[in-house]
DNA sequence: TTGAGATTGTTAGATATTTAACAAAGTATG
DNA sequence: CATACTTTGTTAAATATCTAACAATCTCAA
């Protein structure tokens, strides 16, 4: 365990560069796939090839958290996977609540793979009387007015925001008041939360625009080649 | 227009670092919000504050594409927005097809904000006979067996994959065979496509794991402070 | 049991990205 | 219309990230 710490916490989470953090789930998925295929060992070279990065980077990323491999052998898949799961906080039964039982909220609530990894949606809230009382995957949708009180009685770690952007900040405030520790936000708006609360945005619209940009650039590239 | 070009195209799209590309939609959204509020002018300092980045970075990002501001004044919101829209390929009527009319596919198909920006889902495909023939937001779901033939008759630029991971590669191949130029993939799997096709992955599960990691780190941080 | 071959963890060097600094050129105000 | 102020675009310096290199050390086949 080495990890050079930096004075400003800007891009770092406790000495881990955000660029590294973003690769961790990729390693997790690859290792899960290998484990499912009952592959026993894997080298940094193989992992790197699948991630389309450099083998050095794999070794350096992992070395920030510890020494999980063996010279001349590589990494034992099951061991490395369990270590990465620990690092990511997977399989630790993380309780969540979801706010906004619309199109996207329902898709997220019905998705089984999150629960499979220990991320459980305990309750769902909405504002619309037509939605409140309906059942989504065995959970009755509650009135968002009860949100803060519910959380005080039944604490959860993560709040998922699937409301329109206009309501997102208000919902975030209620989640924070209820003692939530992290917010997973699908609304296209920058939220303000206290420093103690972690934020993760899902930018679907932005992702589509990035694809659009790449397309335009590629077109131009091909056009220029023809000349 | 300056743009220092680099020999390897690895992280670059025609000389534009991917880190910059990822910030462009953020600028777009901020400028849209300002335009909606009828704000006339904005400085790099103001934009930077909202994006939580450095003003120098804003100016440098924009300068890769041209000179859009005025000394002593800043940027005219409407002009900069229209330039960024051009850069991103927004409002150019981009045709798309969606494959997989399940939970997530329906949410995406029903979402109006994409069409509002010129990204139109022309057709929807599925494999399940119970889904085929149903209507999603005025579009009848077609049989995925017709996908490639449909595209040859009705070309589209972007294919959206909302099928399970196990079917995603097969669907991608069909989209490519139909002449699609870019793929927006929601399935948690790395797709293989020809070099001429652009790829953009949406990693919902990975995003949740990143939040989980941040939470764990923050907990440890707070714990260490108490000591 | 030995020795050739493999692969890690780590340090140092190469690249890329971000930030600072500032001349140039405009604005705005009296 | 002069002048103090603002803010851009750009160049250069500071940081951060990625890649190469290699000693240390384990594997595995003979
Ligand atoms: N559907 C998509 O594909 C998509 C894509 C990109 C972004 N998003 C974003 O995700 C969010 C949800 O999108 P959607 O398509 O599910 O919208 P939706 O309209 O289907 O659902 C929103 C739900 O939030 C509820 N709601 C509104 N105000 C609330 C409040 N104050 N408290 C609790 N519930 C409230 C509504 O009653 C509704 O049920 C939006 O912010 C949207 O911009 C969605
Ligand atoms: N729902 C979520 O919140 C969520 C979150 C993260 C990732 N994802 C991913 O998004 C994808 C879709 O998720 P979902 O929840 O909508 O699943 P879903 O099961 O509700 O929908 C999948 C749809 O794809 C169709 N399909 C299957 N094979 C097909 C094929 N070969 N051609 C055309 N259609 C086919 C199915 O009939 C079904 O209608 C999955 O890969 C999932 O892992 C979803």
């Amino acid at each position: 365990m080495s990890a050079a710490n930096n004075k400003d916490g800007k891009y770092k989470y406790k000495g881990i560069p955000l660029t590294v953090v973003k690769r961790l789930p990729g390693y997790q998925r690859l290792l899960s796939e290998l484990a499912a295929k009952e592959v026993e060992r894997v080298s940094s070279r193989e992992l790197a090839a699948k991630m389309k990065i450099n083998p050095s980077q794999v070794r350096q990323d992992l070395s920030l958290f510890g020494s999980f491999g063996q010279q001349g052998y590589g990494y034992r898949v099951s061991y490395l996977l369990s270590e990465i799961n620990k690092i990511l906080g997977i399989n630790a039964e993380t309780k969540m609540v979801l706010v906004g039982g619309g199109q996207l909220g329902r898709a997220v609530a019905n998705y089984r793979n999150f629960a499979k990894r220990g991320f459980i949606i305990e309750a769902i809230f909405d504002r619309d009387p037509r939605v409140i009382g309906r059942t989504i995957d065995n959970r009755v949708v509650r009135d968002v007015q009860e949100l803060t009180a519910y959380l005080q009685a039944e604490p959860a770690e993560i709040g998922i925001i699937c409301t329109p952007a206009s309501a997102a900040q208000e919902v975030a405030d209620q989640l924070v008041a209820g003692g939530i520790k992290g917010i997973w936000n699908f609304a296209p708006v920058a939220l303000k939360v206290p420093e103690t609360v972690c934020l993760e945005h899902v930018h679907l619209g932005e992702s589509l625009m990035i694809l659009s940009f790449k397309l335009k650039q590629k077109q131009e590239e091909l056009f220029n080649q023809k000349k």
Side-chain angles (χ1 to χ4, degrees), chain A residues 1-222:
Chain A
M1 180 88 69
S2 60
N5 264 59
N6 195 290
K7 42 199 176 294
D8 67 56
K10 208 173 202 179
Y11 291 119
K12 302 284 176 91
Y13 275 85
K14 204 163 172 276
I16 310 295
L18 197 47
T19 47
V20 175
V21 175
K22 286 182 184 160
R23 281 190 292 269
L24 295 178
Y27 296 132
Q28 202 278 342
R29 183 171 57 75
L30 285 180
L31 289 165
S32 297
E33 286 172 11
L34 291 172
K37 282 192 268 178
E38 307 199 44
V39 175
E40 280 223 343
R41 54 187 273 188
V42 68
S43 67
S44 60
R45 186 176 38 76
E46 293 168 305
L47 280 176
K50 293 189 197 253
M51 298 267 295
K52 290 176 188 163
I53 60 178
N54 189 294
S56 281
Q57 192 153 60
V58 173
R59 295 200 295 276
Q60 201 165 53
D61 284 356
L62 296 177
S63 79
L64 290 172
F65 299 97
S67 297
F68 308 122
Q70 221 163 11
Q71 283 137 324
Y73 179 87
Y75 301 90
R76 198 164 293 276
V77 170
S78 61
Y79 175 63
L80 184 55
L81 176 57
S82 77
E83 286 299 309
I84 291 208
N85 280 343
K86 270 195 254 170
I87 290 165
L88 286 171
I90 292 177
N91 300 333
E93 288 284 301
T94 303
K95 293 189 179 181
M96 315 196 284
V97 298
L98 187 151
V99 188
Q103 294 283 340
L104 193 58
R106 283 199 300 276
V108 170
N110 280 314
Y111 190 57
R112 300 302 169 86
N113 276 9
F114 297 143
K116 220 184 269 175
R117 287 172 180 174
F119 295 90
I120 320 276
I121 297 176
E122 296 278 341
I124 303 170
F125 298 84
D126 204 292
R127 187 175 61 180
D128 189 333
R130 288 167 300 179
V131 179
I132 295 167
R134 280 176 59 181
T135 296
I136 301 177
D137 197 28
N138 285 331
R139 285 151 304 199
V140 175
V141 177
R142 298 161 194 256
D143 190 328
V144 72
Q145 291 189 344
E146 303 163 16
L147 174 57
T148 303
Y150 171 93
L151 283 172
Q152 280 156 359
E154 299 279 346
E157 276 208 84
I158 292 175
I160 310 174
I161 298 181
C162 288
T163 67
S166 53
Q169 183 61 58
E170 185 191 356
V171 169
D173 293 343
Q174 291 170 280
L175 287 168
V176 170
I180 225 83
K181 295 288 189 299
I183 290 179
W184 199 27
N185 176 40
F186 286 80
V189 61
L191 298 177
K192 272 185 197 151
V193 295
E195 266 214 11
T196 50
V197 174
C198 296
L199 255 184
E200 177 73 13
H201 281 256
V202 175
H203 298 291
L204 291 186
E206 302 196 0
S207 171
L208 180 56
M209 288 190 219
I210 290 169
L211 177 57
S212 172
F213 177 85
K214 288 179 179 175
L215 276 171
K216 271 200 73 200
Q217 295 291 101
K218 183 92 69 176
Q219 303 281 299
E220 283 174 31
E221 202 182 293
L222 294 173

